[in-house]
Amino acid sequence: MTFSFKKIAPHLVVVLIFIITALLYFSPVLSGKKMFQSDIQQYRGMAKEQMDFRAATGEEPYWTDAAFGGMPTYQLGAKYPFNWIKSLDLRIRFLPRPADYLFLYFVGFYVLLLVLKLDWKYAGLGALAFGFSSYLIIILGVGHNAKAHAIAYMPLVLSGILLTFRKKYIWGFILTTVAMALEIVANHVQMTYYLMLLVLVLGVAYLIDAFRKNELPHFFKSVGVLVLAVVLAIGTNAASLMATSEYSAFSTRGKSDLTINPDGTPKTDVGGLDKEYINQYSYGISETLDLFIAGLYGGSNSEPYDKDSAFTQFLLQQGVPPAQVESIFGQFGLYYWGSQPGVSGPAYLGAVVVFLFVLGIFMVKGRLKWWLLGGTILSLLLSFGSNLSWFTDLWIDYFPLYNKFRAVTSIQVIAELCVPVLAVFGLYKILQKTEAKEDKLKALKWTTGITGGLSLIILLFNGSLFSFAGGNDAYYIQNFGMDFISAVKEDRKSLLVNDTLKTLILVLIAAGLIWFYIKQIVSEIQVILVMAILIVFDLVQVDRRYVNTENFMAARLVEQPFQASEADKQILQDTSRYRVFEQRIGLNGARTSYFHNSIGGYHGAKPARLQELAEFYLYQGNIQPLNLLNVKYIISQDEEGAEQVQQNPQANGNVWFVQNVKVVPDADAEILALDSLNTLQTAVIQERYANELTRNIFPQDSTDNISLVEHQPNYLKYQSSAQEAKLAVFSEVYYPDGWNVYIDGEPSTYFKADYILRAMMVPEGEHTIEFKFEPQVVKTGSTISLASNILLLVIILGGVFFTYRKLNSAKTE
């Protein structure tokens, strides 16, 4: 076996095609434009303070004051020492965003199909089918970059696993380690968790196959190799994983200290997310058909409208000026009528791809088919959520960590991966001379009957099969009348009919093409080429409805997603340290964080205590959380919608001495005690911290004072003066895993007070108190990462050396 440029030339050409295709689809990046992504806009708001501090000092703060009253930046793009895998990831993603993610989709899937021993032509076709599947494009449009990033590396992880099971232990280990490390770097735990579920399905299929073939020793050896690979991959990412795990316990994904709800009833879910929240986005069972027919359930909440549509004509008949018609469409989520609260587009796999997938079920044999089919079925069943509650509840209640994730429809990424693989193998099998002609014709007949027949039934009987009624239609009828929704329903039906007709035509063309091949009228390469054209045409045509050049704008506007309002400018004149609450946004938006220290933000894992305080008080109209967290300014709106700034006279300030302490037994009593309490005078602490106190009453002295004199995200400095020891309460979120306190340079201790804040005993006299964020988890994790990276590098070099020796030995034989 020798190196041959002729052998690698086709792969180089394919990779070049992937680069060109990714850049052409996102062509505005070539002129310097950037995609406007709503989630990334929110991220920029959350991370601005962190990025500004990094730019100004060259240091990593690991803490931000700008969001949720204060939180670690571990999930906000924090950078860790010795993160060599992240450097590798950045080099692989050399194209401008989001073309880089599309390129990753292509390359990862291409490698997977090559590892599965498919020819480069089939692998290239499969990569295009995977990369252009609508869900993978749509998540880029809305800014789910981390999700796209993690999905893109899934095929590479599977490639390493499959190599190992094929007894390529060294390179299987290396590829699995590197790919899994890259998967973890993507930092989307939910997607990685779903990948694990698919790997379990694959493992079961291979275990059964090994048992039948009496190869159990090889199976368990492979599993051992893969376990070591995953452990090493985890080690290379130790800092980020350990930090994230530490924060998780502090967040809404962790176990709550409370055993009661705001209404006093017992709390049933004290760990993980509640079932209603998990199942909020549940896929309708019949909605599964939009994997095959894009517009079956109305596409999306922002489905592009047709100027000749029934709803357009209705608006014009009502006297709406033509110039206003398009803007009215943007105000309503009209066309989507599925089970979910809303979607950005269908998870469309492609008519031809699904046709070939069904063909693969008939043509492909053995473990490959069963793990791909098993993964597809499992992902679809779990995506139904509350629409198949008995099955979903089993997983939420009994499967480890499943209750940590919401939006169950996301698990369809497994189907997005499995279906194109089996589809390409279906095409491959039917184009091979080794398969019997009778078997091919039988498989083609059944596949065409199933897919074409289903399309024809929907086309002919859609009026009796579907109601075209959406969840919000009653609201539209009540406010706008029956004619309004009748026009919308007519358009929903029209969208279904048009896309079903397109699907039927594509199915018949694909079936006819294969029939021509079986009859030896066209060649294998001609079939592959035409199939590739059909697949790309079909998928891109749907993708363009939701992600196109209109998603791009000038780079400056993307990099500065929020513009300061007059209210912001007014507040920013105050250069002291305080927090801001924007009522219109509440706790679920990062616009405020872009300009101010905010108690709101945008993240899937909020600090749990802040969320609980909001549920117990803020959402009930009690501003106690605002006072505790030193919310000095509130941005509200008057009756006409104009912004106005209100100063909160009850804000407690940055730090204060209290006169009294109320000791309570547990977290329930602590949060309840805050109701109507004057927290400037009295602090509430739990019994477990009572030994930190010298007494419970602290006489007031007018000469005593404590104040904040210096602040950075990761550093706070106070000056205190007191005639005797006092209890100080700091308007800072209690987070003991990293925040250390020093009095006159000597380490001291602090504890939790008022459910969410820090408190400490301050000795008499004049003192300097400093809080420094010094997370040990980053130091420990970075050391583990360094050792793991060095070990991985040694193993890679050893693998290269071993392969080189093997090649030389083969030459001399």
Side-chain angles (χ1 to χ4, degrees), residues 623 626-627 630-634 646-653 680:
I623 67 168
L626 305 187
N627 302 336
N630 191 27
V631 175
K632 187 175 181 181
Y633 296 102
I634 300 171
Q646 296 176 301
Q647 189 164 341
N648 178 17
Q650 301 178 56
N652 287 13
L680 276 174

mmCIF file of all heavy atoms in Angstrom, residues 623 626-627 630-634 646-653 680:
data_model
loop_
_atom_site.group_PDB
_atom_site.id
_atom_site.type_symbol
_atom_site.label_atom_id
_atom_site.label_comp_id
_atom_site.label_asym_id
_atom_site.label_seq_id
_atom_site.Cartn_x
_atom_site.Cartn_y
_atom_site.Cartn_z
ATOM 1 N N ILE A 623 -41.442 43.969 44.321
ATOM 2 C CA ILE A 623 -40.136 44.347 43.767
ATOM 3 C C ILE A 623 -38.975 44.027 44.709
ATOM 4 O O ILE A 623 -37.870 44.534 44.521
ATOM 5 C CB ILE A 623 -40.101 45.838 43.392
ATOM 6 C CG1 ILE A 623 -40.195 46.722 44.641
ATOM 7 C CG2 ILE A 623 -41.179 46.176 42.392
ATOM 8 C CD1 ILE A 623 -39.883 48.186 44.368
ATOM 9 N N LEU A 626 -35.695 43.327 43.115
ATOM 10 C CA LEU A 626 -35.048 44.502 42.542
ATOM 11 C C LEU A 626 -34.277 45.263 43.617
ATOM 12 O O LEU A 626 -33.167 45.759 43.375
ATOM 13 C CB LEU A 626 -36.084 45.420 41.892
ATOM 14 C CG LEU A 626 -37.007 44.804 40.838
ATOM 15 C CD1 LEU A 626 -37.852 45.895 40.179
ATOM 16 C CD2 LEU A 626 -36.211 44.047 39.780
ATOM 17 N N ASN A 627 -34.844 45.346 44.792
ATOM 18 C CA ASN A 627 -34.183 46.060 45.887
ATOM 19 C C ASN A 627 -32.915 45.336 46.320
ATOM 20 O O ASN A 627 -31.862 45.948 46.511
ATOM 21 C CB ASN A 627 -35.133 46.198 47.080
ATOM 22 C CG ASN A 627 -36.416 46.924 46.722
ATOM 23 O OD1 ASN A 627 -36.452 47.700 45.761
ATOM 24 N ND2 ASN A 627 -37.473 46.670 47.466
ATOM 25 N N ASN A 630 -29.973 45.680 43.930
ATOM 26 C CA ASN A 630 -29.568 47.059 43.642
ATOM 27 C C ASN A 630 -29.988 47.515 42.247
ATOM 28 O O ASN A 630 -29.198 48.065 41.484
ATOM 29 C CB ASN A 630 -28.049 47.223 43.806
ATOM 30 C CG ASN A 630 -27.624 48.689 43.776
ATOM 31 O OD1 ASN A 630 -28.400 49.582 44.130
ATOM 32 N ND2 ASN A 630 -26.390 48.942 43.360
ATOM 33 N N VAL A 631 -31.247 47.237 41.903
ATOM 34 C CA VAL A 631 -31.790 47.751 40.646
ATOM 35 C C VAL A 631 -32.183 49.201 40.883
ATOM 36 O O VAL A 631 -33.236 49.501 41.430
ATOM 37 C CB VAL A 631 -32.996 46.914 40.174
ATOM 38 C CG1 VAL A 631 -33.623 47.551 38.939
ATOM 39 C CG2 VAL A 631 -32.562 45.495 39.870
ATOM 40 N N LYS A 632 -31.315 50.088 40.454
ATOM 41 C CA LYS A 632 -31.500 51.520 40.702
ATOM 42 C C LYS A 632 -32.437 52.146 39.679
ATOM 43 O O LYS A 632 -33.140 53.120 39.978
ATOM 44 C CB LYS A 632 -30.142 52.218 40.681
ATOM 45 C CG LYS A 632 -30.161 53.684 41.098
ATOM 46 C CD LYS A 632 -28.738 54.229 41.147
ATOM 47 C CE LYS A 632 -28.724 55.701 41.579
ATOM 48 N NZ LYS A 632 -27.333 56.231 41.604
ATOM 49 N N TYR A 633 -32.443 51.562 38.455
ATOM 50 C CA TYR A 633 -33.245 52.142 37.383
ATOM 51 C C TYR A 633 -34.156 51.083 36.771
ATOM 52 O O TYR A 633 -33.748 49.940 36.532
ATOM 53 C CB TYR A 633 -32.358 52.741 36.293
ATOM 54 C CG TYR A 633 -31.518 53.904 36.779
ATOM 55 C CD1 TYR A 633 -30.164 53.715 37.073
ATOM 56 C CD2 TYR A 633 -32.077 55.164 36.967
ATOM 57 C CE1 TYR A 633 -29.391 54.781 37.526
ATOM 58 C CE2 TYR A 633 -31.310 56.224 37.408
ATOM 59 C CZ TYR A 633 -29.965 56.023 37.698
ATOM 60 O OH TYR A 633 -29.213 57.058 38.159
ATOM 61 N N ILE A 634 -35.379 51.489 36.486
ATOM 62 C CA ILE A 634 -36.359 50.638 35.814
ATOM 63 C C ILE A 634 -36.800 51.343 34.539
ATOM 64 O O ILE A 634 -37.211 52.513 34.581
ATOM 65 C CB ILE A 634 -37.580 50.375 36.714
ATOM 66 C CG1 ILE A 634 -37.154 49.674 38.012
ATOM 67 C CG2 ILE A 634 -38.622 49.533 35.974
ATOM 68 C CD1 ILE A 634 -38.259 49.580 39.041
ATOM 69 N N GLN A 646 -37.477 55.183 35.399
ATOM 70 C CA GLN A 646 -37.901 55.377 36.783
ATOM 71 C C GLN A 646 -36.749 54.996 37.701
ATOM 72 O O GLN A 646 -36.132 53.942 37.526
ATOM 73 C CB GLN A 646 -39.112 54.499 37.113
ATOM 74 C CG GLN A 646 -40.366 54.842 36.327
ATOM 75 C CD GLN A 646 -41.495 53.868 36.653
ATOM 76 O OE1 GLN A 646 -41.361 52.667 36.461
ATOM 77 N NE2 GLN A 646 -42.600 54.389 37.150
ATOM 78 N N GLN A 647 -36.451 55.853 38.669
ATOM 79 C CA GLN A 647 -35.430 55.510 39.654
ATOM 80 C C GLN A 647 -36.096 54.802 40.824
ATOM 81 O O GLN A 647 -37.150 55.232 41.299
ATOM 82 C CB GLN A 647 -34.690 56.763 40.137
ATOM 83 C CG GLN A 647 -33.486 56.428 41.005
ATOM 84 C CD GLN A 647 -32.543 57.604 41.149
ATOM 85 O OE1 GLN A 647 -32.586 58.554 40.349
ATOM 86 N NE2 GLN A 647 -31.681 57.569 42.145
ATOM 87 N N ASN A 648 -35.507 53.720 41.246
ATOM 88 C CA ASN A 648 -36.057 52.920 42.336
ATOM 89 C C ASN A 648 -35.505 53.429 43.665
ATOM 90 O O ASN A 648 -34.345 53.142 44.000
ATOM 91 C CB ASN A 648 -35.704 51.445 42.136
ATOM 92 C CG ASN A 648 -36.202 50.558 43.269
ATOM 93 O OD1 ASN A 648 -37.071 50.968 44.046
ATOM 94 N ND2 ASN A 648 -35.645 49.357 43.377
ATOM 95 N N PRO A 649 -36.285 54.153 44.432
ATOM 96 C CA PRO A 649 -35.766 54.724 45.681
ATOM 97 C C PRO A 649 -35.519 53.673 46.750
ATOM 98 O O PRO A 649 -34.849 53.941 47.751
ATOM 99 C CB PRO A 649 -36.879 55.694 46.107
ATOM 100 C CG PRO A 649 -38.122 55.129 45.492
ATOM 101 C CD PRO A 649 -37.697 54.510 44.206
ATOM 102 N N GLN A 650 -36.039 52.459 46.544
ATOM 103 C CA GLN A 650 -35.892 51.408 47.554
ATOM 104 C C GLN A 650 -34.706 50.490 47.290
ATOM 105 O O GLN A 650 -34.479 49.547 48.056
ATOM 106 C CB GLN A 650 -37.171 50.574 47.612
ATOM 107 C CG GLN A 650 -38.417 51.376 47.953
ATOM 108 C CD GLN A 650 -39.659 50.506 47.950
ATOM 109 O OE1 GLN A 650 -39.726 49.507 48.654
ATOM 110 N NE2 GLN A 650 -40.645 50.879 47.141
ATOM 111 N N ALA A 651 -33.946 50.750 46.228
ATOM 112 C CA ALA A 651 -32.780 49.916 45.939
ATOM 113 C C ALA A 651 -31.806 49.956 47.106
ATOM 114 O O ALA A 651 -31.493 51.030 47.640
ATOM 115 C CB ALA A 651 -32.106 50.397 44.659
ATOM 116 N N ASN A 652 -31.318 48.819 47.502
ATOM 117 C CA ASN A 652 -30.491 48.724 48.714
ATOM 118 C C ASN A 652 -29.084 49.266 48.546
ATOM 119 O O ASN A 652 -28.396 49.487 49.540
ATOM 120 C CB ASN A 652 -30.398 47.260 49.159
ATOM 121 C CG ASN A 652 -31.698 46.767 49.771
ATOM 122 O OD1 ASN A 652 -32.735 47.413 49.658
ATOM 123 N ND2 ASN A 652 -31.641 45.612 50.407
ATOM 124 N N GLY A 653 -28.619 49.444 47.335
ATOM 125 C CA GLY A 653 -27.237 49.875 47.140
ATOM 126 C C GLY A 653 -26.319 48.683 46.964
ATOM 127 O O GLY A 653 -26.749 47.526 46.914
ATOM 128 N N LEU A 680 -32.770 46.220 54.329
ATOM 129 C CA LEU A 680 -31.687 47.135 54.706
ATOM 130 C C LEU A 680 -31.379 47.044 56.197
ATOM 131 O O LEU A 680 -30.259 47.320 56.631
ATOM 132 C CB LEU A 680 -32.046 48.582 54.345
ATOM 133 C CG LEU A 680 -31.759 49.019 52.906
ATOM 134 C CD1 LEU A 680 -32.294 50.423 52.675
ATOM 135 C CD2 LEU A 680 -30.258 48.970 52.615
#
